[in-house]
Coordinates of all heavy atoms in Angstrom, one line a residue:
M1 N -72.7 -128.9 109.3 CA -72.3 -129.3 110.7 C -72.6 -130.7 111.1 O -71.8 -131.3 111.8 CB -72.9 -128.3 111.7 CG -72.2 -127.1 111.9 SD -72.1 -126.8 113.7 CE -71.0 -125.6 113.7
S2 N -73.8 -131.2 110.6 CA -74.1 -132.6 111.0 C -73.6 -133.6 110.1 O -73.8 -134.8 110.3 CB -75.7 -132.7 111.0 OG -76.2 -132.5 109.7
N3 N -72.8 -133.2 109.1 CA -72.1 -134.2 108.2 C -70.9 -134.8 108.9 O -69.9 -134.1 109.1 CB -71.7 -133.5 106.9 CG -72.9 -133.0 106.1 OD1 -74.0 -133.5 106.3 ND2 -72.7 -132.0 105.3
L4 N -71.0 -136.0 109.3 CA -69.9 -136.7 109.9 C -69.2 -137.6 108.8 O -69.8 -138.5 108.2 CB -70.3 -137.6 111.0 CG -70.8 -136.9 112.3 CD1 -71.2 -138.0 113.3 CD2 -69.7 -136.1 112.9
G5 N -68.0 -137.2 108.5 CA -67.2 -138.0 107.5 C -66.3 -139.0 108.2 O -66.4 -139.3 109.4
V6 N -65.5 -139.7 107.4 CA -64.6 -140.7 107.9 C -63.6 -140.1 108.9 O -63.4 -140.8 110.0 CB -63.9 -141.4 106.7 CG1 -62.9 -142.4 107.2 CG2 -64.9 -142.1 105.8
P7 N -63.0 -139.0 108.7 CA -62.1 -138.5 109.7 C -62.7 -138.2 111.1 O -62.1 -138.6 112.1 CB -61.5 -137.2 109.1 CG -61.8 -137.3 107.6 CD -63.0 -138.1 107.5
E8 N -63.9 -137.7 111.0 CA -64.6 -137.4 112.3 C -65.0 -138.7 113.0 O -64.8 -138.8 114.3 CB -65.9 -136.6 112.1 CG -65.6 -135.2 111.6 CD -65.4 -135.0 110.1 OE1 -65.6 -136.0 109.4 OE2 -65.1 -133.9 109.7
L9 N -65.4 -139.7 112.3 CA -65.8 -141.0 112.9 C -64.5 -141.7 113.5 O -64.6 -142.3 114.5 CB -66.4 -141.9 111.9 CG -67.8 -141.5 111.5 CD1 -68.4 -142.4 110.4 CD2 -68.8 -141.5 112.6
L10 N -63.4 -141.5 112.8 CA -62.1 -142.1 113.3 C -61.7 -141.4 114.6 O -61.2 -142.1 115.5 CB -61.0 -142.0 112.3 CG -61.2 -143.0 111.1 CD1 -60.1 -142.7 110.0 CD2 -61.1 -144.4 111.5
I11 N -61.9 -140.1 114.6 CA -61.5 -139.4 115.9 C -62.4 -139.8 117.0 O -62.0 -140.0 118.1 CB -61.6 -137.9 115.6 CG1 -60.5 -137.4 114.6 CG2 -61.5 -137.1 116.9 CD1 -60.6 -136.0 114.2
I12 N -63.7 -140.0 116.8 CA -64.6 -140.4 117.8 C -64.3 -141.8 118.3 O -64.3 -142.1 119.5 CB -66.1 -140.3 117.3 CG1 -66.5 -138.9 117.1 CG2 -67.1 -141.0 118.2 CD1 -67.8 -138.7 116.4
A13 N -64.0 -142.7 117.4 CA -63.6 -144.1 117.7 C -62.3 -144.1 118.6 O -62.2 -144.8 119.6 CB -63.4 -144.9 116.5
L14 N -61.3 -143.2 118.2 CA -60.1 -143.1 118.9 C -60.3 -142.6 120.4 O -59.8 -143.2 121.3 CB -59.1 -142.2 118.2 CG -57.7 -142.0 118.9 CD1 -57.0 -143.3 118.9 CD2 -56.9 -141.0 118.2
V15 N -61.2 -141.6 120.5 CA -61.5 -141.1 121.8 C -62.2 -142.2 122.7 O -61.9 -142.3 123.9 CB -62.4 -139.8 121.7 CG1 -63.0 -139.4 123.0 CG2 -61.6 -138.7 121.1
L16 N -63.1 -142.9 122.1 CA -63.8 -144.0 122.8 C -62.8 -145.1 123.3 O -62.9 -145.6 124.4 CB -64.9 -144.6 122.0 CG -66.1 -143.8 121.8 CD1 -67.1 -144.5 120.8 CD2 -66.8 -143.5 123.1
V17 N -61.9 -145.4 122.4 CA -60.9 -146.5 122.8 C -60.0 -145.9 123.9 O -59.7 -146.6 124.9 CB -60.0 -146.9 121.6 CG1 -58.8 -147.7 122.0 CG2 -60.9 -147.6 120.6
L18 N -59.6 -144.7 123.8 CA -58.8 -144.1 124.9 C -59.5 -144.0 126.2 O -59.0 -144.2 127.3 CB -58.2 -142.7 124.5 CG -57.2 -142.7 123.4 CD1 -56.9 -141.3 123.0 CD2 -55.9 -143.4 123.8
L19 N -60.8 -143.6 126.2 CA -61.6 -143.5 127.4 C -61.9 -144.8 128.1 O -61.8 -145.0 129.3 CB -62.9 -142.7 127.1 CG -62.8 -141.3 126.9 CD1 -64.1 -140.7 126.5 CD2 -62.3 -140.5 128.1
F20 N -62.4 -145.8 127.3 CA -62.9 -147.0 127.9 C -61.9 -148.2 127.7 O -62.1 -149.2 128.4 CB -64.2 -147.4 127.2 CG -65.3 -146.4 127.5 CD1 -65.7 -145.5 126.5 CD2 -65.8 -146.2 128.7 CE1 -66.7 -144.6 126.7 CE2 -66.8 -145.3 129.0 CZ -67.2 -144.5 127.9
G21 N -61.0 -148.1 126.9 CA -60.1 -149.3 126.7 C -60.6 -150.2 125.6 O -61.8 -150.4 125.4
A22 N -59.7 -150.9 125.0 CA -60.1 -151.8 123.9 C -60.8 -153.0 124.4 O -61.7 -153.6 123.6 CB -58.8 -152.2 123.1
K23 N -60.6 -153.4 125.6 CA -61.3 -154.6 126.2 C -62.7 -154.3 126.5 O -63.6 -155.2 126.4 CB -60.6 -155.2 127.4 CG -59.2 -155.8 127.0 CD -58.6 -156.4 128.3 CE -57.2 -157.0 127.9 NZ -56.6 -157.6 129.1
K24 N -63.0 -153.1 127.0 CA -64.4 -152.8 127.5 C -65.4 -152.5 126.3 O -66.6 -152.7 126.5 CB -64.3 -151.6 128.4 CG -63.7 -151.9 129.7 CD -64.5 -152.8 130.5 CE -63.9 -153.0 131.9 NZ -64.7 -153.8 132.7
L25 N -64.9 -152.1 125.2 CA -65.8 -151.7 124.1 C -66.6 -152.8 123.6 O -67.8 -152.7 123.4 CB -65.0 -151.0 123.0 CG -64.5 -149.6 123.3 CD1 -63.7 -149.0 122.1 CD2 -65.7 -148.7 123.6
P26 N -66.1 -154.0 123.3 CA -66.9 -155.1 122.9 C -68.0 -155.5 123.9 O -69.1 -155.8 123.6 CB -65.9 -156.3 122.6 CG -64.6 -155.6 122.4 CD -64.6 -154.4 123.2
E27 N -67.6 -155.5 125.2 CA -68.5 -155.8 126.3 C -69.6 -154.8 126.3 O -70.8 -155.2 126.5 CB -67.8 -155.9 127.6 CG -66.8 -157.0 127.7 CD -65.9 -156.9 129.0 OE1 -66.3 -156.2 129.9 OE2 -64.9 -157.6 129.1
M28 N -69.3 -153.6 126.2 CA -70.3 -152.5 126.2 C -71.3 -152.7 125.0 O -72.5 -152.5 125.1 CB -69.7 -151.1 126.2 CG -69.0 -150.8 127.5 SD -68.0 -149.3 127.5 CE -69.2 -148.1 126.8
A29 N -70.7 -153.0 123.8 CA -71.5 -153.2 122.6 C -72.5 -154.3 122.8 O -73.7 -154.3 122.4 CB -70.7 -153.4 121.4
R30 N -72.0 -155.4 123.4 CA -72.9 -156.6 123.6 C -74.0 -156.2 124.6 O -75.1 -156.6 124.4 CB -72.1 -157.8 124.2 CG -71.5 -158.6 123.2 CD -70.8 -159.9 123.8 NE -69.5 -160.0 123.2 CZ -68.4 -159.8 123.9 NH1 -68.4 -159.5 125.1 NH2 -67.2 -159.9 123.2
G31 N -73.7 -155.5 125.6 CA -74.7 -155.1 126.6 C -75.7 -154.2 126.0 O -76.9 -154.4 126.2
V32 N -75.3 -153.3 125.1 CA -76.3 -152.4 124.4 C -77.1 -153.2 123.5 O -78.3 -153.0 123.4 CB -75.5 -151.3 123.7 CG1 -76.5 -150.5 122.8 CG2 -74.9 -150.3 124.7
G33 N -76.5 -154.2 122.8 CA -77.3 -155.1 121.9 C -78.3 -155.9 122.7 O -79.5 -156.0 122.2
R34 N -78.0 -156.4 123.8 CA -78.9 -157.2 124.6 C -80.0 -156.3 125.1 O -81.2 -156.7 125.1 CB -78.2 -157.8 125.8 CG -77.3 -159.0 125.4 CD -76.7 -159.6 126.6 NE -75.7 -160.6 126.2 CZ -74.5 -160.7 126.8 NH1 -74.2 -159.9 127.8 NH2 -73.7 -161.6 126.4
S35 N -79.7 -155.1 125.5 CA -80.7 -154.2 126.0 C -81.7 -153.8 124.9 O -82.9 -153.8 125.2 CB -80.0 -153.0 126.6 OG -79.2 -153.3 127.6
L36 N -81.2 -153.6 123.7 CA -82.1 -153.3 122.6 C -83.0 -154.4 122.2 O -84.1 -154.2 121.9 CB -81.2 -152.8 121.4 CG -80.6 -151.4 121.6 CD1 -79.7 -151.1 120.3 CD2 -81.6 -150.3 121.7
R37 N -82.4 -155.7 122.3 CA -83.2 -156.8 122.0 C -84.4 -157.0 123.0 O -85.5 -157.3 122.6 CB -82.4 -158.1 122.0 CG -82.2 -158.6 120.6 CD -81.4 -159.9 120.6 NE -80.0 -159.5 120.5 CZ -79.0 -160.0 121.3 NH1 -79.3 -160.8 122.3 NH2 -77.8 -159.6 121.2
I38 N -84.0 -156.8 124.3 CA -85.1 -156.9 125.3 C -86.1 -155.9 125.2 O -87.3 -156.1 125.2 CB -84.4 -156.9 126.7 CG1 -83.5 -158.1 126.9 CG2 -85.4 -156.7 127.8 CD1 -82.6 -158.1 128.2
F39 N -85.7 -154.6 124.9 CA -86.6 -153.5 124.7 C -87.5 -153.8 123.5 O -88.7 -153.6 123.6 CB -85.8 -152.2 124.5 CG -86.6 -151.0 124.3 CD1 -87.3 -150.4 125.4 CD2 -86.8 -150.5 123.1 CE1 -88.1 -149.3 125.2 CE2 -87.6 -149.4 122.9 CZ -88.2 -148.8 123.9
K40 N -87.0 -154.3 122.4 CA -87.8 -154.6 121.2 C -88.8 -155.6 121.5 O -90.0 -155.5 121.1 CB -86.8 -155.0 120.1 CG -87.5 -155.2 118.8 CD -86.5 -155.6 117.7 CE -87.2 -155.8 116.4 NZ -86.3 -156.2 115.3
S41 N -88.4 -156.7 122.2 CA -89.4 -157.8 122.5 C -90.5 -157.3 123.5 O -91.6 -157.7 123.3 CB -88.7 -159.0 123.1 OG -88.1 -158.7 124.4
E42 N -90.1 -156.5 124.4 CA -91.1 -155.9 125.4 C -92.1 -155.0 124.7 O -93.3 -155.1 124.9 CB -90.4 -155.2 126.5 CG -89.7 -156.1 127.5 CD -90.6 -157.2 128.1 OE1 -91.7 -156.8 128.5 OE2 -90.1 -158.3 128.3
T43 N -91.6 -154.2 123.8 CA -92.5 -153.3 123.0 C -93.4 -154.1 122.1 O -94.6 -153.8 122.0 CB -91.8 -152.2 122.2 OG1 -90.8 -152.9 121.4 CG2 -91.0 -151.2 123.2
A44 N -92.9 -155.2 121.5 CA -93.8 -156.0 120.7 C -94.8 -156.7 121.6 O -96.0 -156.8 121.1 CB -92.9 -157.1 120.0
K45 N -94.5 -157.1 122.8 CA -95.5 -157.7 123.7 C -96.6 -156.7 124.0 O -97.7 -157.0 124.1 CB -94.8 -158.2 124.9 CG -94.0 -159.5 124.7 CD -93.4 -159.9 126.0 CE -92.5 -161.1 125.9 NZ -91.8 -161.5 127.1
L46 N -96.1 -155.5 124.3 CA -97.1 -154.4 124.6 C -98.1 -154.2 123.4 O -99.3 -154.0 123.6 CB -96.4 -153.1 125.0 CG -95.7 -153.1 126.3 CD1 -94.9 -151.8 126.5 CD2 -96.8 -153.2 127.4
R47 N -97.5 -154.1 122.2 CA -98.4 -153.9 121.1 C -99.4 -155.1 120.9 O -100.5 -154.9 120.6 CB -97.5 -153.8 119.8 CG -97.1 -152.4 119.6 CD -96.5 -152.2 118.2 NE -95.1 -151.8 118.4 CZ -94.0 -152.4 118.1 NH1 -94.1 -153.5 117.5 NH2 -92.9 -151.8 118.3
D48 N -98.9 -156.4 121.1 CA -99.8 -157.5 121.1 C -100.9 -157.4 122.1 O -102.0 -157.8 121.9 CB -99.0 -158.8 121.2 CG -98.1 -159.1 120.0 OD1 -98.3 -158.4 119.0 OD2 -97.1 -159.9 120.2
D49 N -100.5 -157.0 123.3 CA -101.5 -156.9 124.4 C -102.5 -155.8 124.1 O -103.7 -156.0 124.3 CB -100.8 -156.5 125.7 CG -100.0 -157.7 126.3 OD1 -100.2 -158.9 125.8 OD2 -99.2 -157.5 127.2
D50 N -102.1 -154.7 123.5 CA -103.0 -153.7 123.1 C -104.0 -154.2 122.0 O -105.1 -153.9 122.0 CB -102.2 -152.4 122.5 CG -101.5 -151.7 123.6 OD1 -101.9 -151.9 124.8 OD2 -100.7 -150.8 123.3
D51 N -103.5 -155.0 121.1 CA -104.3 -155.5 120.0 C -105.4 -156.5 120.7 O -106.5 -156.4 120.3 CB -103.5 -156.3 119.0 CG -102.6 -155.4 118.2 OD1 -102.9 -154.2 118.2 OD2 -101.7 -155.9 117.5
E52 N -105.0 -157.3 121.6 CA -105.9 -158.2 122.3 C -107.0 -157.4 123.1 O -108.1 -157.7 123.1 CB -105.2 -159.1 123.2 CG -104.3 -160.1 122.5 CD -103.5 -161.0 123.5 OE1 -103.8 -160.9 124.7 OE2 -102.7 -161.7 123.0
H53 N -106.5 -156.3 123.7 CA -107.5 -155.5 124.5 C -108.5 -154.8 123.6 O -109.6 -154.6 124.0 CB -106.7 -154.5 125.4 CG -106.0 -155.1 126.5 ND1 -106.7 -155.8 127.6 CD2 -104.7 -155.3 126.8 CE1 -105.8 -156.3 128.4 NE2 -104.6 -156.0 128.0
T54 N -108.0 -154.3 122.5 CA -109.0 -153.6 121.6 C -110.0 -154.6 121.0 O -111.1 -154.3 120.8 CB -108.3 -152.9 120.4 OG1 -107.4 -153.8 119.8 CG2 -107.4 -151.8 121.0
A55 N -109.6 -155.9 120.8 CA -110.5 -156.9 120.3 C -111.5 -157.3 121.4 O -112.7 -157.5 121.1 CB -109.7 -158.1 119.9
Q56 N -111.1 -157.2 122.6 CA -112.0 -157.5 123.7 C -112.8 -156.3 124.2 O -113.6 -156.4 125.1 CB -111.2 -158.1 124.9 CG -110.6 -159.5 124.6 CD -109.7 -160.0 125.7 OE1 -109.5 -159.3 126.7 NE2 -109.2 -161.1 125.6
A57 N -112.5 -155.1 123.7 CA -113.1 -153.9 124.2 C -114.6 -153.8 123.8 O -115.3 -153.0 124.4 CB -112.3 -152.7 123.7
Q58 N -115.0 -154.6 122.9 CA -116.4 -154.6 122.4 C -117.1 -155.8 122.8 O -117.3 -156.7 122.1 CB -116.4 -154.4 120.9 CG -115.7 -153.2 120.4 CD -115.5 -153.2 118.9 OE1 -115.9 -154.2 118.2 NE2 -114.9 -152.2 118.4
P59 N -117.5 -155.9 124.1 CA -118.2 -157.1 124.6 C -119.6 -157.2 124.0 O -120.2 -156.2 123.7 CB -118.2 -156.9 126.1 CG -118.2 -155.4 126.3 CD -117.4 -154.9 125.2
A60 N -120.1 -158.5 124.0 CA -121.4 -158.7 123.4 C -122.5 -158.3 124.4 O -123.5 -157.9 124.1 CB -121.6 -160.2 123.1
Q61 N -122.2 -158.5 125.7 CA -123.2 -158.1 126.8 C -122.5 -157.1 127.7 O -121.3 -157.1 127.9 CB -123.5 -159.4 127.6 CG -124.2 -160.4 126.7 CD -124.5 -161.7 127.5 OE1 -124.1 -161.7 128.7 NE2 -125.1 -162.7 126.9
P62 N -123.4 -156.2 128.2 CA -122.8 -155.2 129.2 C -122.3 -155.9 130.4 O -122.9 -156.9 130.9 CB -124.0 -154.3 129.5 CG -125.2 -155.0 129.1 CD -124.8 -156.0 128.0
Q63 N -121.3 -155.4 131.0 CA -120.7 -155.9 132.2 C -121.6 -155.6 133.4 O -122.0 -154.5 133.5 CB -119.3 -155.3 132.4 CG -118.3 -155.7 131.4 CD -118.0 -157.2 131.4 OE1 -118.0 -157.8 132.4 NE2 -117.7 -157.7 130.2
P64 N -121.8 -156.5 134.3 CA -122.6 -156.2 135.5 C -121.8 -155.3 136.5 O -120.6 -155.4 136.5 CB -122.8 -157.6 136.2 CG -121.7 -158.5 135.6 CD -121.4 -157.9 134.3
Q65 N -122.5 -154.5 137.1 CA -121.9 -153.6 138.1 C -121.5 -154.4 139.3 O -122.2 -155.2 139.8 CB -122.8 -152.5 138.5 CG -123.2 -151.5 137.3 CD -122.0 -150.7 136.9 OE1 -121.1 -150.4 137.7 NE2 -121.9 -150.5 135.6
P66 N -120.3 -154.1 139.9 CA -119.9 -154.8 141.1 C -120.8 -154.4 142.3 O -121.3 -153.3 142.3 CB -118.4 -154.4 141.3 CG -118.3 -153.1 140.5 CD -119.3 -153.2 139.4
A67 N -120.9 -155.3 143.2 CA -121.7 -155.0 144.4 C -121.0 -154.0 145.2 O -119.8 -153.9 145.3 CB -121.9 -156.3 145.2
Q68 N -121.8 -153.1 145.8 CA -121.2 -152.1 146.7 C -120.7 -152.7 148.0 O -121.4 -153.5 148.6 CB -122.3 -151.0 147.1 CG -122.8 -150.2 145.9 CD -121.7 -149.4 145.3 OE1 -120.9 -148.9 146.0 NE2 -121.8 -149.2 144.0
P69 N -119.5 -152.4 148.4 CA -119.0 -153.0 149.6 C -119.7 -152.5 150.8 O -120.1 -151.4 150.9 CB -117.5 -152.6 149.6 CG -117.5 -151.4 148.7 CD -118.6 -151.5 147.7
Q70 N -119.9 -153.4 151.8 CA -120.5 -153.0 153.0 C -119.6 -152.2 153.9 O -118.4 -152.5 153.9 CB -120.9 -154.3 153.8 CG -122.0 -155.1 153.1 CD -123.3 -154.4 153.0 OE1 -123.7 -153.6 153.8 NE2 -124.0 -154.6 151.9
P71 N -120.0 -151.1 154.5 CA -119.1 -150.4 155.3 C -118.7 -151.2 156.5 O -119.4 -152.0 157.1 CB -120.0 -149.2 155.8 CG -121.4 -149.6 155.6 CD -121.4 -150.6 154.5
I72 N -117.4 -151.0 156.9 CA -116.8 -151.7 158.0 C -117.1 -151.0 159.3 O -116.8 -149.8 159.3 CB -115.3 -151.9 157.8 CG1 -115.1 -152.8 156.5 CG2 -114.7 -152.6 159.0 CD1 -113.6 -152.9 156.1
Q73 N -117.6 -151.7 160.2 CA -117.9 -151.0 161.5 C -116.7 -151.1 162.3 O -116.0 -152.1 162.4 CB -119.1 -151.6 162.2 CG -120.4 -151.5 161.4 CD -121.5 -152.2 162.1 OE1 -121.3 -152.9 163.1 NE2 -122.7 -152.0 161.6
A74 N -116.3 -150.0 162.9 CA -115.1 -149.9 163.8 C -115.4 -150.8 165.1 O -116.4 -150.7 165.7 CB -114.8 -148.5 164.2
A75 N -114.4 -151.6 165.4 CA -114.5 -152.4 166.6 C -114.2 -151.5 167.8 O -113.5 -150.5 167.7 CB -113.4 -153.5 166.6
P76 N -114.8 -151.8 168.9 CA -114.5 -150.9 170.1 C -113.1 -151.0 170.5 O -112.4 -152.0 170.2 CB -115.4 -151.5 171.2 CG -115.8 -152.9 170.7 CD -115.7 -152.9 169.2
A77 N -112.6 -150.0 171.0 CA -111.1 -149.9 171.4 C -110.9 -150.9 172.5 O -111.5 -150.9 173.5 CB -110.8 -148.5 171.8
L78 N -109.9 -151.8 172.2 CA -109.5 -152.8 173.2 C -108.1 -152.5 173.8 O -107.3 -152.0 173.1 CB -109.5 -154.2 172.6 CG -110.8 -154.7 172.0 CD1 -110.6 -156.0 171.3 CD2 -111.9 -154.8 173.0
S79 N -108.0 -152.9 175.0 CA -106.6 -152.7 175.6 C -105.7 -153.7 175.0 O -106.1 -154.7 174.3 CB -106.7 -152.8 177.1 OG -107.0 -154.2 177.4
A80 N -104.4 -153.5 175.2 CA -103.4 -154.4 174.7 C -103.6 -155.8 175.2 O -103.4 -156.8 174.5 CB -102.0 -153.9 174.9
E81 N -104.0 -155.9 176.5 CA -104.2 -157.2 177.1 C -105.3 -158.0 176.5 O -105.3 -159.2 176.3 CB -104.4 -157.1 178.6 CG -103.1 -156.6 179.4 CD -103.4 -156.3 180.8 OE1 -104.6 -156.4 181.3 OE2 -102.5 -155.9 181.5
E82 N -106.4 -157.2 176.2 CA -107.6 -157.8 175.6 C -107.3 -158.3 174.2 O -107.7 -159.4 173.8 CB -108.8 -156.9 175.6 CG -109.3 -156.6 177.0 CD -110.4 -155.5 177.0 OE1 -110.4 -154.6 176.1 OE2 -111.2 -155.5 178.0
Q83 N -106.6 -157.5 173.5 CA -106.2 -157.9 172.1 C -105.3 -159.1 172.1 O -105.5 -160.1 171.3 CB -105.5 -156.7 171.4 CG -106.3 -155.6 171.0 CD -105.6 -154.4 170.4 OE1 -104.3 -154.4 170.4 NE2 -106.3 -153.4 169.9
A84 N -104.4 -159.2 173.1 CA -103.5 -160.4 173.2 C -104.3 -161.6 173.5 O -104.0 -162.7 173.0 CB -102.4 -160.1 174.2
R85 N -105.3 -161.5 174.4 CA -106.1 -162.6 174.8 C -106.9 -163.1 173.7 O -107.0 -164.3 173.4 CB -107.0 -162.2 176.0 CG -107.9 -163.3 176.5 CD -108.8 -162.9 177.6 NE -109.6 -161.6 177.3 CZ -110.7 -161.6 176.5 NH1 -111.1 -162.7 175.9 NH2 -111.3 -160.5 176.3
Q86 N -107.5 -162.2 172.8 CA -108.2 -162.6 171.7 C -107.4 -163.3 170.7 O -107.8 -164.3 170.1 CB -108.9 -161.4 171.0 CG -110.1 -160.8 171.8 CD -110.8 -159.7 171.1 OE1 -110.3 -159.1 170.2 NE2 -111.9 -159.3 171.7
L87 N -106.2 -162.8 170.5 CA -105.2 -163.4 169.5 C -104.9 -164.8 170.0 O -104.8 -165.8 169.2 CB -104.0 -162.6 169.3 CG -104.2 -161.3 168.5 CD1 -103.0 -160.4 168.5 CD2 -104.6 -161.6 167.1
E88 N -104.6 -165.0 171.3 CA -104.3 -166.3 171.8 C -105.5 -167.3 171.6 O -105.3 -168.4 171.3 CB -103.9 -166.2 173.3 CG -102.6 -165.5 173.5 CD -102.3 -165.3 175.0 OE1 -103.1 -165.6 175.9 OE2 -101.2 -164.7 175.3
E89 N -106.7 -166.8 171.8 CA -107.9 -167.6 171.6 C -108.0 -168.1 170.2 O -108.3 -169.2 169.9 CB -109.1 -166.9 172.1 CG -109.2 -166.7 173.6 CD -110.4 -165.9 174.0 OE1 -111.2 -165.4 173.1 OE2 -110.6 -165.7 175.2
Q90 N -107.8 -167.1 169.3 CA -107.8 -167.4 167.8 C -106.7 -168.5 167.5 O -107.0 -169.4 166.7 CB -107.7 -166.2 167.0 CG -108.8 -165.3 167.0 CD -108.6 -164.0 166.2 OE1 -107.5 -163.7 165.8 NE2 -109.6 -163.2 166.1
A91 N -105.5 -168.3 168.0 CA -104.5 -169.2 167.8 C -104.8 -170.6 168.3 O -104.5 -171.6 167.6 CB -103.2 -168.7 168.4
A92 N -105.4 -170.7 169.5 CA -105.8 -172.0 170.0 C -106.8 -172.6 169.2 O -106.8 -173.9 169.0 CB -106.3 -171.8 171.5
R93 N -107.8 -171.9 168.7 CA -108.8 -172.5 167.8 C -108.2 -173.0 166.5 O -108.6 -174.0 166.0 CB -109.9 -171.4 167.5 CG -110.9 -171.3 168.6 CD -112.1 -170.3 168.2 NE -111.8 -169.1 169.0 CZ -111.9 -167.9 168.5 NH1 -112.4 -167.6 167.3 NH2 -111.7 -166.8 169.3
L94 N -107.3 -172.2 165.9 CA -106.6 -172.7 164.7 C -105.8 -173.9 164.9 O -105.8 -174.8 164.1 CB -105.7 -171.6 164.2 CG -106.4 -170.4 163.5 CD1 -105.4 -169.3 163.2 CD2 -107.2 -170.8 162.3
R95 N -105.1 -174.0 166.1 CA -104.3 -175.2 166.4 C -105.3 -176.4 166.5 O -105.0 -177.5 166.1 CB -103.5 -175.0 167.6 CG -102.2 -174.2 167.4 CD -101.3 -174.3 168.6 NE -101.9 -173.6 169.8 CZ -101.7 -172.3 170.1 NH1 -100.9 -171.6 169.4 NH2 -102.2 -171.8 171.2
A96 N -106.4 -176.2 167.2 CA -107.4 -177.3 167.4 C -107.9 -177.8 166.1 O -108.1 -179.0 165.8 CB -108.5 -176.8 168.4
S97 N -108.3 -176.8 165.2 CA -108.9 -177.2 163.9 C -107.8 -177.9 163.1 O -108.1 -178.9 162.3 CB -109.4 -176.0 163.2 OG -108.4 -175.1 162.8
A98 N -106.5 -177.5 163.2 CA -105.5 -178.1 162.4 C -105.2 -179.5 163.0 O -105.0 -180.5 162.2 CB -104.2 -177.3 162.5
A99 N -105.3 -179.7 164.3 CA -105.1 -181.0 164.8 C -106.3 -182.0 164.4 O -106.0 -183.2 164.1 CB -105.1 -181.0 166.4
Q100 N -107.5 -181.5 164.3 CA -108.6 -182.3 163.9 C -108.5 -182.7 162.4 O -108.8 -183.8 162.0 CB -109.9 -181.6 164.1 CG -110.4 -181.5 165.5 CD -111.7 -180.7 165.7 OE1 -112.2 -180.1 164.7 NE2 -112.2 -180.7 166.9
A101 N -108.0 -181.7 161.6 CA -107.8 -182.0 160.2 C -106.7 -183.1 160.0 O -106.8 -184.0 159.2 CB -107.4 -180.7 159.5
D102 N -105.6 -183.0 160.8 CA -104.6 -184.0 160.8 C -105.1 -185.4 161.2 O -104.7 -186.4 160.7 CB -103.4 -183.6 161.6 CG -102.6 -182.4 161.0 OD1 -102.8 -182.2 159.8 OD2 -101.8 -181.8 161.8
K103 N -106.0 -185.4 162.2 CA -106.5 -186.6 162.7 C -107.4 -187.3 161.7 O -107.3 -188.5 161.5 CB -107.4 -186.3 164.0 CG -107.9 -187.5 164.7 CD -108.9 -187.2 165.8 CE -108.3 -187.0 167.1 NZ -109.3 -186.8 168.2
H104 N -108.1 -186.5 160.9 CA -109.0 -187.1 159.9 C -108.3 -187.5 158.6 O -108.7 -188.3 157.8 CB -110.1 -186.1 159.5 CG -111.1 -185.9 160.6 ND1 -112.0 -186.9 161.1 CD2 -111.4 -184.8 161.4 CE1 -112.7 -186.4 162.1 NE2 -112.3 -185.1 162.3
A105 N -107.1 -187.0 158.4 CA -106.4 -187.2 157.2 C -105.6 -188.5 157.2 O -105.5 -189.3 158.1 CB -105.3 -186.1 156.9

């Protein structure tokens, strides 16, 4: 059943030409070829990356443990007006520091 001979391949080719048209088949073949080339290069890059990671997986010294993050204390609930006022003050400070930086430059 899985033996495809010349007559079967010709029938399959004829069906493809009838379905997609003679102009679309070369374009589709080019697209498939490009996709396979991209896929092949990406898999090669993944293999290279894996090789690099396995070489680096045996460090000479143990890695230091990262510092524990400090818990963030919740700010007291502010009204919308108070939040807007604080944001305006921060914006004014930023504008002033930017103006001083421009003055010194």
Side-chain angles (χ1 to χ4, degrees):
M1 274 226 167
S2 63
N3 296 335
L4 290 178
V6 176
E8 290 87 5
L9 291 175
L10 288 175
I11 292 172
I12 292 171
L14 180 65
V15 169
L16 288 173
V17 169
L18 290 175
L19 285 175
F20 297 108
K23 291 184 179 181
K24 291 289 183 181
L25 287 177
E27 294 172 14
M28 289 173 51
R30 272 188 230 110
V32 169
R34 287 181 189 140
S35 299
L36 288 175
R37 250 182 274 128
I38 292 169
F39 180 75
K40 185 177 178 181
S41 67
E42 291 298 322
T43 55
K45 287 179 187 177
L46 286 175
R47 273 192 239 116
D48 292 344
D49 288 344
D50 287 344
D51 291 343
E52 290 176 11
H53 289 294
T54 55
Q56 295 175 356
Q58 301 169 358
Q61 298 176 359
Q63 297 291 330
Q65 294 294 328
Q68 295 293 329
Q70 297 293 329
I72 299 173
Q73 296 178 352
L78 300 175
S79 69
E81 292 174 359
E82 292 172 336
Q83 289 176 351
R85 182 182 49 78
Q86 286 182 352
L87 288 173
E88 288 174 0
E89 290 174 359
Q90 289 176 354
R93 278 185 256 141
L94 287 172
R95 282 191 294 266
S97 64
Q100 288 178 352
D102 289 341
K103 186 189 268 187
H104 292 292

